[in-house]
Amino acid sequence: MSKEVNELKNLVQDLLDESSKQGASSAEAGLSIDNGLSVNARLGEVETIEHHCDQSLGVTVYIGQKKGSASTNDFSAKSIKETVKAACSIASFSSEDKYAGLPDKDMLATEFPELDRFHPWDIDAESAIDLAIECEDAARSYHDDITNSEGASVSSHQGIRVMGNSLGFLQGYQATRHSMSCSVIGERDDSMQRDYWYSVSRQAGKLEPAKEIGLKAAERTINRLAARSLTTRQCPVLYSAEVASGLIGSLVSAISGGSLYRKSSFLLDALDTQILPEFIHIHEQPHLKMALGSAAYDSEGVATAARDIVTDGILKGYVLSSYSARKLGTKTTGNAGGVHNLTVDTGENDFAAMLKQLDTGLLVTELMGSGVNQVTGDYSRGASGFWVENGQIQYPVEEITIAGNLKDMYKNMVSVGNDVDYRGNIRTGSILIEQMSIAGE
Amino acid sequence: MFYPQFQLLKSPMDILNQVKQSILVPYGMQENDIDQIMDSMLTATVDNADIYFQSSHFESWVLEGGIVKEGSHSIEQGAGVRVVSGEKTGFAYSDQIELAVLLKAASNVKAIARQGQNAQRKVEDVKKRTDYYQVTNPLKSLADQEKINLLRKVDIETRKLDTRIEEVIVSLVGVYEQVLVANQDGSLVADIRPLTRMSVSVILEEKGKREQGSMGGGARTDYGYFLDQDKAVEYGKEAVRQAAVNLEAIDAPAGAMTVVLGPGWPGILLHEAIGHGLEGDFNRKGTSAFSGKVGERVGSELCTVVDDGTLEGRRGSLSIDDEGVPTESTMLIEKGILKGYMQDKMNARLMGVKSTGNGRRESYAHIPMPRMTNTYMLPGQHDPEEIVKSVKKGLYAKNFGGGQVDITSGKFVFSASEAYLIEDGKITKPVKGATLIGNGPDVLTKVSMVGNDLELDAGVGTCGKEGQSVPVGVGQPTIKIDGLTVGGTSV
C-alpha cells in the first residue's frame, strides 16, 4: 500500500481520536482525494481542458444513541477539530435512536482481496486532446448527415479512499477511472438528432478504441434521423441493455433498507416471494477484479460477499446497511452505499435474437424523465427508439411515453439477452417485456 | 434569546469587505496576490480570465419516525481559475486558497491560449448592481434547539391531520455562501447568498394501499421564512392532501389530449420545453432545436416568457451572476415571438451580444455556463375557472415531479404527480401520476388560453446541466394546451 494511503490513514485516525477526545462514544471517519484531467474537443479543436483536484473528509459521531455528521475540504489540524466539534454539536441536539450506531464488530471486513482497481494513466493534456480529436473525427466523417457536434471527451481520474471507525477498522485503497465519450448531431429534412457513446474502465488500455467510440456515436445518431411518433397502443417493449439497467435499478431501490423501513417501496414483505419469472437470477459479485462496482467492504466497513438476490425469480435478499437492518430486525447485507456489481444472468439470445423474439413492437434505446413512483410502482416515462416488425427494425420513433406498473412489468419479463452492458454497476443484457402502454400522437 | 430576523441590507462595498475578510484574510491572501495571479494568466491572447473564490457553509436536519435522527454540517472553500481564448477554455481549481497553489493552477490553464501578444486589461461596461436578498446567515438565524423544535412541531401538526399517516419526513436545509469574483479588467466583486429550503413528505396507507405526498418551499433568506404564517405547517398539510388525493387515483389516460396546467410549479414546462433550448451555449454551437430562430414565432400570441434573476429573495435570484455580471429580466418570448437567448460572457462575446447575467456555476470547482434563474410566463386575461370550463374532455395537472429535455430534437418530458380528468368542463376524478411529452419549439403554439393567476413556485427547484446543479425558480398562470401527449396506462 502506498505511502500516501498510510499518511491519510493517520489523518483518519486523528479524526477518530479527536472525536473520542471531544466526548463521542463512538465514531466513523473517512476521507477522499481525487485528481484528474478532462479534455473536450469539438469540431476538430480543443474546447476545454479541466484539471481536477478534490478532497474531502467527513466524520460521523455517536454520543450514546445520538448521531451527528460533519465534513470539510480543509485538512488542517484546526479544521479537523472544528469539524469534529460541529458533528458533536449536532449529535447533542439530535434524538436518541436505538437503532443508530456503528456496525456490529463481527460484521466488519477482515480480509481484503486485491481488486485490481488502480491503473494510473500517464497522459498529458495534449495527448488526451489528440485522442478526443481522433474520436470525434471518426464520428464526423461517418456520414454526410452528421452536421454538427457536441464534441468528444477524454478523462482520467485517480483517487484515494480511506475510512475507519472506533472499533479499530482502518482501511484505504487507490482506484482509477478513465473514460472516453463522443456526442454528434445529424440533420435531415430540417430536423436534428443527437446521440452519443462512451466507454469507461479502470484501465486505459481496456477502453474501446477512440475510432470505434466515434463511429458508434455517429451510427446511433444517423439511425435516429427522421424519427416519428406512434399512435397510442399496447405492445411488447424491448429495453436495450443500456436502458434495461434502469429497470433493475428500480428493483434495487425497492428492496433497499431505507425504502423498506419507511414503507415507501412497492415491494414490501416480498422476501421469499415470486417477483420475477422463474428464469431470472440476479446476484451480487463484489470482488470481481477491475470492475467498476467492486469493493471489499461497504461504506461503513462491513465485509461484502458474493450472494444471490433473486433465484428462480424469488427474492432471496434485501439491500441493507447496519441501520436499516436493525430497523427491520435483521443483519446488514454489506450494502451501505449501494450494491456492488449486480449481475442479471443472461439467456442464449443475442440482440438479433431478442429483436426476433420481440417480433412486432417497440425497441426502446433512450428514456427521459423521472416518472417512477417507488411507493406504488407506477411507471410512466418519455421514450425514443425504434418500431420493429417481424424482428426487423422499421423506423426510429420519438415523442412517445411507455407506461405500466413495475410489479407487473417484472412479472411479465419474457427474456434477457446476452448483449450485456458492462459499463455500470448493474450488469444486464436487453430485457423484453410482454406488454406496456404506449402513448403517442 | 434574541436572533435578528434580518441584518440591514449592506452596500456592495460592505459586502466586498466582508467577503474579503472571510475568504482571503484567513489564508493570508491579499488583493495584490489576485493581481499577480491575473497578470500571470494575461501573458497570452486571452479573451477573458477570472478567478472565483467561494466559501460555503451548509447544514441539514432530518426528522423521521418522529425523531430528529440526524444532522450534517459542511464547510467548503476553494478557488477556480479560468482562461478563455476564442472558443477555448482552460480551467483548474483548488481547495487551498494559497498564492503558490493558485499561481500553479493559473500556469496550467493559460496553456489553452495561443502564446502571443499580452492581453489587455480591458474595462468592461458595468451595469448598475442591485441587491435582491439580505445579507444574512441562515445557519445562525435560529438556535439549533429552535431548528429542532420547528421540525418537531411540523411532525406533530402533520400527524394530527389524518389517521392514515404511516410516516412523516421533515427536512430543513440552509446554505450560507460567499463568493468573490476577480475579472480580467481588474474588477473585484462579491456576493453573499443565503439559501434555505424545507420539505415535508408523508406516506399514507389505507387498506393495504400506500401513497406519498410531498411539499416544500424555500427562499434566499433565513429560517424565519418558515415561521412566518406557519408556512412549515402548511407544507405538511399540503403533503397530506396530495397523498390523500393520490390514494383515490384511477389509471391515467394515454394519448394526445387537451391539457390544462395549473399555476406555479407546472411552469417546469417552460424550464424544460423552451428554457434550456434558449441557453446561449447551445445556440452559439447550433445544437439547439431553437438555434437561429430569433424573430420567429415559437408560441401563440398569448405567450410571453421571461427569465428574471432580479426577483426579491427568490430561490433562483442572484444579485450578480457567477461571472460578476448583475442579473436582469431577460425577455425570451414576447407574444409568441422568440426574442433572445440567455447568455454568459463567453457565449455573448462569440454571438456578438451582451451577457444577460446568466453565467452560473455549481461551485468554484465547475466551469460557468449559461443557466436559468427564475423562468416564468406572464399572466393573461382568462379566469382559471373559465379555462377549465372550456374543456370537454382532457387532463388537469396541478403538481409535477421532475422533467428533462433533449435540446437537439426539442423533445421534452415532465411528470405529473397530481392530476385529474376534466369531463364536460369540470375537474373530476384524480388520476395516477403520468409523464407528459411534447416538442419544445411548437408546444407553446398550442397554448390557446392563459389565466390571470400567475404564481411562482414555492422555492424548491434544482436544475441539472452537464453534471452541475444550481437552484432555480419557475412560474406560470393556468394555461391550456390544445394537444399534449399524456403517458398514462389507460389506452
Side-chain angles (χ1 to χ4, degrees), chain A residues 30-48:
Chain A
L31 67 79
S32 67
I33 294 185
D34 283 288
N35 284 294
L37 168 74
S38 57
V39 304
N40 189 59
R42 179 171 176 265
L43 303 179
E45 291 203 53
V46 56
E47 188 178 43
T48 55

PDB file of all heavy atoms in Angstrom, chain A residues 30-48:
ATOM      1  N   GLY A  30     -13.946   9.249   7.359  1.00  0.00           N
ATOM      2  CA  GLY A  30     -13.447   8.859   6.048  1.00  0.00           C
ATOM      3  C   GLY A  30     -12.913  10.067   5.310  1.00  0.00           C
ATOM      4  O   GLY A  30     -13.246  11.211   5.643  1.00  0.00           O
ATOM      5  N   LEU A  31     -12.055   9.799   4.351  1.00  0.00           N
ATOM      6  CA  LEU A  31     -11.634  10.908   3.505  1.00  0.00           C
ATOM      7  C   LEU A  31     -11.349  10.420   2.103  1.00  0.00           C
ATOM      8  O   LEU A  31     -11.122   9.227   1.859  1.00  0.00           O
ATOM      9  CB  LEU A  31     -10.416  11.631   4.089  1.00  0.00           C
ATOM     10  CG  LEU A  31      -9.070  10.947   4.177  1.00  0.00           C
ATOM     11  CD1 LEU A  31      -8.375  10.955   2.835  1.00  0.00           C
ATOM     12  CD2 LEU A  31      -8.219  11.684   5.189  1.00  0.00           C
ATOM     13  N   SER A  32     -11.413  11.361   1.164  1.00  0.00           N
ATOM     14  CA  SER A  32     -11.123  11.009  -0.218  1.00  0.00           C
ATOM     15  C   SER A  32     -10.343  12.129  -0.883  1.00  0.00           C
ATOM     16  O   SER A  32     -10.503  13.305  -0.538  1.00  0.00           O
ATOM     17  CB  SER A  32     -12.425  10.761  -0.977  1.00  0.00           C
ATOM     18  OG  SER A  32     -13.141  11.957  -1.088  1.00  0.00           O
ATOM     19  N   ILE A  33      -9.479  11.719  -1.796  1.00  0.00           N
ATOM     20  CA  ILE A  33      -8.735  12.683  -2.603  1.00  0.00           C
ATOM     21  C   ILE A  33      -8.842  12.210  -4.046  1.00  0.00           C
ATOM     22  O   ILE A  33      -8.658  11.021  -4.327  1.00  0.00           O
ATOM     23  CB  ILE A  33      -7.246  12.731  -2.183  1.00  0.00           C
ATOM     24  CG1 ILE A  33      -7.131  13.275  -0.766  1.00  0.00           C
ATOM     25  CG2 ILE A  33      -6.446  13.577  -3.160  1.00  0.00           C
ATOM     26  CD1 ILE A  33      -5.702  13.475  -0.300  1.00  0.00           C
ATOM     27  N   ASP A  34      -9.206  13.109  -4.937  1.00  0.00           N
ATOM     28  CA  ASP A  34      -9.304  12.751  -6.345  1.00  0.00           C
ATOM     29  C   ASP A  34      -8.558  13.757  -7.195  1.00  0.00           C
ATOM     30  O   ASP A  34      -8.701  14.959  -6.997  1.00  0.00           O
ATOM     31  CB  ASP A  34     -10.771  12.748  -6.793  1.00  0.00           C
ATOM     32  CG  ASP A  34     -11.499  11.505  -6.324  1.00  0.00           C
ATOM     33  OD1 ASP A  34     -11.225  10.437  -6.875  1.00  0.00           O
ATOM     34  OD2 ASP A  34     -12.322  11.630  -5.393  1.00  0.00           O
ATOM     35  N   ASN A  35      -7.768  13.240  -8.124  1.00  0.00           N
ATOM     36  CA  ASN A  35      -7.096  14.122  -9.074  1.00  0.00           C
ATOM     37  C   ASN A  35      -7.451  13.666 -10.465  1.00  0.00           C
ATOM     38  O   ASN A  35      -7.589  12.471 -10.710  1.00  0.00           O
ATOM     39  CB  ASN A  35      -5.580  14.039  -8.883  1.00  0.00           C
ATOM     40  CG  ASN A  35      -5.161  14.815  -7.659  1.00  0.00           C
ATOM     41  OD1 ASN A  35      -5.279  16.031  -7.622  1.00  0.00           O
ATOM     42  ND2 ASN A  35      -4.718  14.095  -6.650  1.00  0.00           N
ATOM     43  N   GLY A  36      -7.579  14.618 -11.374  1.00  0.00           N
ATOM     44  CA  GLY A  36      -7.940  14.192 -12.712  1.00  0.00           C
ATOM     45  C   GLY A  36      -7.746  15.258 -13.759  1.00  0.00           C
ATOM     46  O   GLY A  36      -7.505  16.438 -13.465  1.00  0.00           O
ATOM     47  N   LEU A  37      -7.848  14.785 -14.986  1.00  0.00           N
ATOM     48  CA  LEU A  37      -7.739  15.662 -16.143  1.00  0.00           C
ATOM     49  C   LEU A  37      -8.908  15.320 -17.039  1.00  0.00           C
ATOM     50  O   LEU A  37      -9.195  14.143 -17.257  1.00  0.00           O
ATOM     51  CB  LEU A  37      -6.415  15.364 -16.872  1.00  0.00           C
ATOM     52  CG  LEU A  37      -6.257  15.989 -18.256  1.00  0.00           C
ATOM     53  CD1 LEU A  37      -5.993  17.487 -18.121  1.00  0.00           C
ATOM     54  CD2 LEU A  37      -5.112  15.324 -19.023  1.00  0.00           C
ATOM     55  N   SER A  38      -9.630  16.331 -17.539  1.00  0.00           N
ATOM     56  CA  SER A  38     -10.583  16.011 -18.594  1.00  0.00           C
ATOM     57  C   SER A  38     -10.498  17.051 -19.691  1.00  0.00           C
ATOM     58  O   SER A  38     -10.329  18.247 -19.425  1.00  0.00           O
ATOM     59  CB  SER A  38     -12.005  15.851 -18.053  1.00  0.00           C
ATOM     60  OG  SER A  38     -12.408  16.992 -17.386  1.00  0.00           O
ATOM     61  N   VAL A  39     -10.572  16.577 -20.914  1.00  0.00           N
ATOM     62  CA  VAL A  39     -10.495  17.483 -22.066  1.00  0.00           C
ATOM     63  C   VAL A  39     -11.676  17.203 -22.985  1.00  0.00           C
ATOM     64  O   VAL A  39     -12.210  16.097 -23.007  1.00  0.00           O
ATOM     65  CB  VAL A  39      -9.186  17.288 -22.871  1.00  0.00           C
ATOM     66  CG1 VAL A  39      -7.968  17.455 -21.978  1.00  0.00           C
ATOM     67  CG2 VAL A  39      -9.160  15.948 -23.579  1.00  0.00           C
ATOM     68  N   ASN A  40     -12.078  18.246 -23.684  1.00  0.00           N
ATOM     69  CA  ASN A  40     -13.135  18.096 -24.678  1.00  0.00           C
ATOM     70  C   ASN A  40     -12.659  18.740 -25.968  1.00  0.00           C
ATOM     71  O   ASN A  40     -12.098  19.838 -25.951  1.00  0.00           O
ATOM     72  CB  ASN A  40     -14.414  18.776 -24.182  1.00  0.00           C
ATOM     73  CG  ASN A  40     -15.602  18.467 -25.072  1.00  0.00           C
ATOM     74  OD1 ASN A  40     -15.964  17.311 -25.253  1.00  0.00           O
ATOM     75  ND2 ASN A  40     -16.198  19.503 -25.645  1.00  0.00           N
ATOM     76  N   ALA A  41     -12.824  18.022 -27.083  1.00  0.00           N
ATOM     77  CA  ALA A  41     -12.509  18.606 -28.392  1.00  0.00           C
ATOM     78  C   ALA A  41     -13.795  18.702 -29.182  1.00  0.00           C
ATOM     79  O   ALA A  41     -14.645  17.810 -29.100  1.00  0.00           O
ATOM     80  CB  ALA A  41     -11.513  17.729 -29.132  1.00  0.00           C
ATOM     81  N   ARG A  42     -13.964  19.820 -29.880  1.00  0.00           N
ATOM     82  CA  ARG A  42     -15.178  19.985 -30.682  1.00  0.00           C
ATOM     83  C   ARG A  42     -14.815  20.561 -32.041  1.00  0.00           C
ATOM     84  O   ARG A  42     -14.040  21.498 -32.114  1.00  0.00           O
ATOM     85  CB  ARG A  42     -16.158  20.911 -29.952  1.00  0.00           C
ATOM     86  CG  ARG A  42     -17.414  21.151 -30.731  1.00  0.00           C
ATOM     87  CD  ARG A  42     -18.489  21.893 -29.942  1.00  0.00           C
ATOM     88  NE  ARG A  42     -19.585  22.137 -30.845  1.00  0.00           N
ATOM     89  CZ  ARG A  42     -19.750  23.266 -31.529  1.00  0.00           C
ATOM     90  NH1 ARG A  42     -18.916  24.258 -31.368  1.00  0.00           N
ATOM     91  NH2 ARG A  42     -20.757  23.388 -32.372  1.00  0.00           N
ATOM     92  N   LEU A  43     -15.389  19.984 -33.085  1.00  0.00           N
ATOM     93  CA  LEU A  43     -15.126  20.387 -34.463  1.00  0.00           C
ATOM     94  C   LEU A  43     -13.624  20.438 -34.748  1.00  0.00           C
ATOM     95  O   LEU A  43     -13.112  21.378 -35.353  1.00  0.00           O
ATOM     96  CB  LEU A  43     -15.807  21.732 -34.770  1.00  0.00           C
ATOM     97  CG  LEU A  43     -17.324  21.757 -34.543  1.00  0.00           C
ATOM     98  CD1 LEU A  43     -17.903  23.141 -34.847  1.00  0.00           C
ATOM     99  CD2 LEU A  43     -18.039  20.685 -35.374  1.00  0.00           C
ATOM    100  N   GLY A  44     -12.953  19.428 -34.261  1.00  0.00           N
ATOM    101  CA  GLY A  44     -11.540  19.258 -34.583  1.00  0.00           C
ATOM    102  C   GLY A  44     -10.572  20.090 -33.769  1.00  0.00           C
ATOM    103  O   GLY A  44      -9.371  20.066 -34.013  1.00  0.00           O
ATOM    104  N   GLU A  45     -11.098  20.851 -32.797  1.00  0.00           N
ATOM    105  CA  GLU A  45     -10.187  21.660 -31.975  1.00  0.00           C
ATOM    106  C   GLU A  45     -10.477  21.495 -30.493  1.00  0.00           C
ATOM    107  O   GLU A  45     -11.607  21.202 -30.109  1.00  0.00           O
ATOM    108  CB  GLU A  45     -10.354  23.139 -32.330  1.00  0.00           C
ATOM    109  CG  GLU A  45      -9.839  23.466 -33.703  1.00  0.00           C
ATOM    110  CD  GLU A  45      -9.492  24.939 -33.805  1.00  0.00           C
ATOM    111  OE1 GLU A  45      -8.721  25.411 -32.950  1.00  0.00           O
ATOM    112  OE2 GLU A  45     -10.017  25.595 -34.713  1.00  0.00           O
ATOM    113  N   VAL A  46      -9.456  21.759 -29.696  1.00  0.00           N
ATOM    114  CA  VAL A  46      -9.676  21.668 -28.257  1.00  0.00           C
ATOM    115  C   VAL A  46     -10.712  22.706 -27.830  1.00  0.00           C
ATOM    116  O   VAL A  46     -10.722  23.826 -28.324  1.00  0.00           O
ATOM    117  CB  VAL A  46      -8.350  21.873 -27.492  1.00  0.00           C
ATOM    118  CG1 VAL A  46      -7.693  23.176 -27.861  1.00  0.00           C
ATOM    119  CG2 VAL A  46      -8.580  21.817 -25.985  1.00  0.00           C
ATOM    120  N   GLU A  47     -11.622  22.298 -26.943  1.00  0.00           N
ATOM    121  CA  GLU A  47     -12.626  23.234 -26.440  1.00  0.00           C
ATOM    122  C   GLU A  47     -12.406  23.543 -24.958  1.00  0.00           C
ATOM    123  O   GLU A  47     -12.426  24.700 -24.557  1.00  0.00           O
ATOM    124  CB  GLU A  47     -14.030  22.657 -26.656  1.00  0.00           C
ATOM    125  CG  GLU A  47     -15.136  23.646 -26.326  1.00  0.00           C
ATOM    126  CD  GLU A  47     -16.525  23.111 -26.588  1.00  0.00           C
ATOM    127  OE1 GLU A  47     -16.772  21.937 -26.239  1.00  0.00           O
ATOM    128  OE2 GLU A  47     -17.349  23.855 -27.141  1.00  0.00           O
ATOM    129  N   THR A  48     -12.217  22.496 -24.158  1.00  0.00           N
ATOM    130  CA  THR A  48     -11.926  22.744 -22.735  1.00  0.00           C
ATOM    131  C   THR A  48     -10.828  21.810 -22.240  1.00  0.00           C
ATOM    132  O   THR A  48     -10.712  20.668 -22.693  1.00  0.00           O
ATOM    133  CB  THR A  48     -13.154  22.493 -21.827  1.00  0.00           C
ATOM    134  OG1 THR A  48     -13.623  21.178 -22.056  1.00  0.00           O
ATOM    135  CG2 THR A  48     -14.263  23.461 -22.066  1.00  0.00           C
TER     136      THR A  48
END
